[in-house]
Amino acid sequence: MSSRDDLRRFYALNINHDALGLAPWEDQTHRYFCTPVDGEIFGGPGVDGIHYLLLPEDERVFCVDPGSGSPFVRPVAKDFQEFLSFLLYCRDESPLAQIYQLNKEKFHQLLEENVQNRWPGCEEFLAGKAAALSAAAEAFQLEAQDPFAKVKLLQENFDSAKLQYSDEYYDVMGLENP
Protein backbone atom coordinates (compact mmCIF):
# COMPACT_ATOMS: atom_id res chain seq x y z
CA MET A 1 0.00 0.00 0.00
CA SER A 2 1.28 3.48 -0.77
CA SER A 3 2.09 6.15 1.78
CA ARG A 4 -0.78 8.25 0.42
CA ASP A 5 -3.29 5.42 0.90
CA ASP A 6 -1.94 4.85 4.41
CA LEU A 7 -2.19 8.57 5.09
CA ARG A 8 -5.88 8.58 4.10
CA ARG A 9 -6.50 5.57 6.34
CA PHE A 10 -4.73 7.28 9.24
CA TYR A 11 -6.75 10.48 8.99
CA ALA A 12 -9.97 8.46 8.64
CA LEU A 13 -9.34 6.94 12.09
CA ASN A 14 -11.64 8.33 14.75
CA ILE A 15 -8.80 9.54 16.98
CA ASN A 16 -7.39 12.82 18.25
CA HIS A 17 -4.68 13.43 15.65
CA ASP A 18 -3.76 16.69 17.41
CA ALA A 19 -2.68 14.72 20.50
CA LEU A 20 0.04 13.11 18.36
CA GLY A 21 1.22 16.45 16.96
CA LEU A 22 -0.35 15.65 13.59
CA ALA A 23 -3.27 18.05 13.31
CA PRO A 24 -4.60 17.71 9.75
CA TRP A 25 -3.22 20.37 7.42
CA GLU A 26 -6.32 21.34 5.53
CA ASP A 27 -5.13 24.52 3.79
CA GLN A 28 -2.52 23.54 1.18
CA THR A 29 -2.12 27.22 0.31
CA HIS A 30 -0.71 27.89 3.81
CA ARG A 31 2.94 27.14 3.19
CA TYR A 32 6.23 28.35 4.56
CA PHE A 33 9.08 29.78 2.51
CA CYS A 34 10.97 26.50 2.88
CA THR A 35 8.10 24.14 2.02
CA PRO A 36 8.89 22.43 -1.28
CA VAL A 37 6.45 23.70 -3.91
CA ASP A 38 5.41 20.17 -4.90
CA GLY A 39 5.06 18.88 -1.33
CA GLU A 40 1.75 17.52 -0.09
CA ILE A 41 1.50 18.72 3.51
CA PHE A 42 -0.50 16.36 5.68
CA GLY A 43 -0.12 17.53 9.26
CA GLY A 44 1.84 19.18 11.98
CA PRO A 45 1.86 20.11 15.65
CA GLY A 46 0.73 23.69 15.07
CA VAL A 47 3.87 25.25 16.56
CA ASP A 48 7.01 26.81 15.10
CA GLY A 49 5.85 26.12 11.53
CA ILE A 50 6.85 22.45 11.75
CA HIS A 51 4.92 20.28 9.32
CA TYR A 52 5.12 16.91 7.60
CA LEU A 53 4.74 16.16 3.93
CA LEU A 54 5.07 13.73 1.08
CA LEU A 55 6.74 14.55 -2.23
CA PRO A 56 5.56 13.36 -5.65
CA GLU A 57 6.66 9.86 -6.58
CA ASP A 58 8.36 9.44 -3.21
CA GLU A 59 7.15 7.27 -0.35
CA ARG A 60 9.32 8.94 2.29
CA VAL A 61 7.86 11.18 4.99
CA PHE A 62 9.59 14.54 5.38
CA CYS A 63 9.67 17.01 8.24
CA VAL A 64 9.84 20.70 7.38
CA ASP A 65 11.15 22.90 10.18
CA PRO A 66 11.41 26.59 9.24
CA GLY A 67 13.31 27.35 12.45
CA SER A 68 16.00 24.70 12.07
CA GLY A 69 18.23 26.33 9.52
CA SER A 70 19.22 24.86 6.21
CA PRO A 71 18.40 22.24 5.22
CA PHE A 72 14.86 22.92 6.37
CA VAL A 73 13.48 19.69 4.92
CA ARG A 74 14.63 16.29 6.18
CA PRO A 75 13.34 12.74 5.70
CA VAL A 76 12.08 11.09 8.90
CA ALA A 77 10.82 7.73 7.57
CA LYS A 78 11.05 5.59 4.44
CA ASP A 79 7.24 5.49 4.21
CA PHE A 80 4.13 6.39 6.20
CA GLN A 81 3.87 3.04 8.01
CA GLU A 82 7.46 3.34 9.21
CA PHE A 83 6.66 6.91 10.29
CA LEU A 84 3.76 5.56 12.38
CA SER A 85 5.97 2.88 13.95
CA PHE A 86 8.45 5.62 14.90
CA LEU A 87 5.58 7.71 16.27
CA LEU A 88 4.53 4.75 18.42
CA TYR A 89 8.05 4.57 19.84
CA CYS A 90 8.40 8.31 20.43
CA ARG A 91 4.76 8.77 21.53
CA ASP A 92 4.76 12.13 19.71
CA GLU A 93 6.09 13.69 16.52
CA SER A 94 8.39 16.16 18.27
CA PRO A 95 11.38 13.82 18.81
CA LEU A 96 11.28 12.94 15.10
CA ALA A 97 11.45 16.63 14.19
CA GLN A 98 14.45 17.10 16.49
CA ILE A 99 16.42 13.94 15.75
CA TYR A 100 18.68 15.70 13.21
CA GLN A 101 20.35 17.69 16.00
CA LEU A 102 20.66 14.95 18.62
CA ASN A 103 23.04 12.12 19.33
CA LYS A 104 21.61 8.79 20.49
CA GLU A 105 22.01 9.58 24.20
CA LYS A 106 20.32 13.00 23.89
CA PHE A 107 17.54 11.49 21.78
CA HIS A 108 16.69 8.88 24.40
CA GLN A 109 17.01 11.49 27.13
CA LEU A 110 14.44 13.62 25.28
CA LEU A 111 12.08 10.64 25.09
CA GLU A 112 12.41 10.07 28.85
CA GLU A 113 11.85 13.76 29.60
CA ASN A 114 8.69 13.67 27.49
CA VAL A 115 7.40 10.71 29.53
CA GLN A 116 8.14 12.54 32.79
CA ASN A 117 6.61 15.83 31.61
CA ARG A 118 3.38 16.32 33.53
CA TRP A 119 1.28 19.38 34.22
CA PRO A 120 -2.00 19.99 36.06
CA GLY A 121 -4.89 18.54 34.10
CA CYS A 122 -2.76 16.64 31.57
CA GLU A 123 -4.32 13.26 32.36
CA GLU A 124 -7.13 13.65 29.83
CA PHE A 125 -4.72 14.78 27.10
CA LEU A 126 -2.35 11.87 27.80
CA ALA A 127 -5.24 9.40 27.80
CA GLY A 128 -6.31 10.72 24.39
CA LYS A 129 -2.77 10.38 23.12
CA ALA A 130 -2.51 6.80 24.39
CA ALA A 131 -5.85 5.93 22.78
CA ALA A 132 -4.78 7.48 19.46
CA LEU A 133 -1.48 5.58 19.48
CA SER A 134 -3.22 2.32 20.34
CA ALA A 135 -5.82 2.76 17.60
CA ALA A 136 -3.14 3.56 14.99
CA ALA A 137 -1.06 0.55 16.04
CA GLU A 138 -4.10 -1.72 15.78
CA ALA A 139 -5.36 -0.29 12.47
CA PHE A 140 -1.98 -0.69 10.79
CA GLN A 141 -0.81 -3.80 12.68
CA LEU A 142 2.38 -1.99 13.75
CA GLU A 143 4.88 -2.31 16.55
CA ALA A 144 6.88 0.57 17.99
CA GLN A 145 10.29 0.89 16.34
CA ASP A 146 13.26 2.93 17.58
CA PRO A 147 13.81 5.51 14.83
CA PHE A 148 17.23 6.85 15.74
CA ALA A 149 19.60 4.85 13.51
CA LYS A 150 17.20 4.62 10.56
CA VAL A 151 16.36 8.33 10.54
CA LYS A 152 20.01 9.34 10.89
CA LEU A 153 20.88 7.12 7.90
CA LEU A 154 18.00 8.53 5.83
CA GLN A 155 19.12 12.05 6.61
CA GLU A 156 22.80 11.36 5.86
CA ASN A 157 21.91 10.03 2.42
CA PHE A 158 19.42 12.76 1.49
CA ASP A 159 20.33 15.47 -1.02
CA SER A 160 18.11 18.47 -0.27
CA ALA A 161 19.50 20.31 -3.32
CA LYS A 162 17.09 18.29 -5.47
CA LEU A 163 14.03 19.87 -3.84
CA GLN A 164 11.97 22.45 -5.69
CA TYR A 165 11.33 25.70 -3.81
CA SER A 166 9.35 28.87 -4.44
CA ASP A 167 10.87 32.18 -5.45
CA GLU A 168 10.33 33.30 -1.84
CA TYR A 169 12.78 30.63 -0.64
CA TYR A 170 15.54 31.92 -2.89
CA ASP A 171 14.80 35.51 -1.85
CA VAL A 172 14.90 34.66 1.87
CA MET A 173 18.08 32.61 1.46
CA GLY A 174 19.75 35.21 -0.77
CA LEU A 175 20.25 32.64 -3.49
CA GLU A 176 19.70 32.75 -7.22
CA ASN A 177 16.77 30.65 -8.41
CA PRO A 178 18.20 27.93 -10.68
Side-chain angles (χ1 to χ4, degrees):
M1 185 168 287
S2 80
S3 286
R4 282 161 180 78
D5 292 337
D6 289 336
L7 186 60
R8 284 188 279 285
R9 282 182 53 213
F10 175 72
Y11 280 105
L13 294 174
N14 187 22
I15 62 173
N16 182 355
H17 297 89
D18 294 3
L20 303 177
L22 293 173
W25 198 279
E26 297 176 9
D27 182 3
Q28 288 293 317
T29 64
H30 180 72
R31 303 171 88 73
Y32 288 81
F33 78 97
C34 57
T35 302
V37 293
D38 54 353
E40 177 187 342
I41 304 169
F42 64 83
V47 296
D48 299 330
I50 295 169
H51 52 287
Y52 295 87
L53 58 79
L54 299 172
L55 294 170
E57 300 179 32
D58 196 331
E59 292 298 311
R60 293 175 294 183
V61 174
F62 293 86
C63 177
V64 179
D65 183 352
S68 70
S70 185
F72 300 95
V73 181
R74 297 174 180 89
V76 292
K78 71 176 181 176
D79 59 30
F80 191 73
Q81 285 202 21
E82 184 175 73
F83 177 74
L84 287 178
S85 72
F86 293 166
L87 192 67
L88 291 170
Y89 187 87
C90 296
R91 314 216 32 92
D92 192 85
E93 60 70 43
S94 177
L96 292 172
Q98 297 178 58
I99 206 166
Y100 75 94
Q101 64 185 348
L102 303 171
N103 63 31
K104 190 171 187 171
E105 180 183 334
K106 292 284 187 191
F107 174 71
H108 286 95
Q109 182 180 352
L110 173 64
L111 295 177
E112 183 56 34
E113 288 170 2
N114 286 349
V115 168
Q116 301 302 321
N117 189 10
R118 299 286 187 264
W119 61 93
C122 71
E123 293 79 17
E124 185 176 333
F125 173 79
L126 293 174
K129 179 184 279 205
L133 289 166
S134 178
E138 184 177 325
F140 288 89
Q141 301 289 299
L142 294 173
E143 299 283 330
Q145 189 179 163
D146 185 338
F148 188 81
K150 287 185 175 187
V151 172
K152 286 292 195 176
L153 186 61
L154 273 173
Q155 292 177 352
E156 285 174 19
N157 294 316
F158 178 64
D159 181 5
S160 65
K162 295 180 180 179
L163 297 174
Q164 298 176 19
Y165 293 105
S166 68
D167 290 339
E168 181 185 14
Y169 171 83
Y170 296 100
D171 290 344
V172 168
M173 298 301 292
L175 300 170
E176 191 170 318
N177 193 339

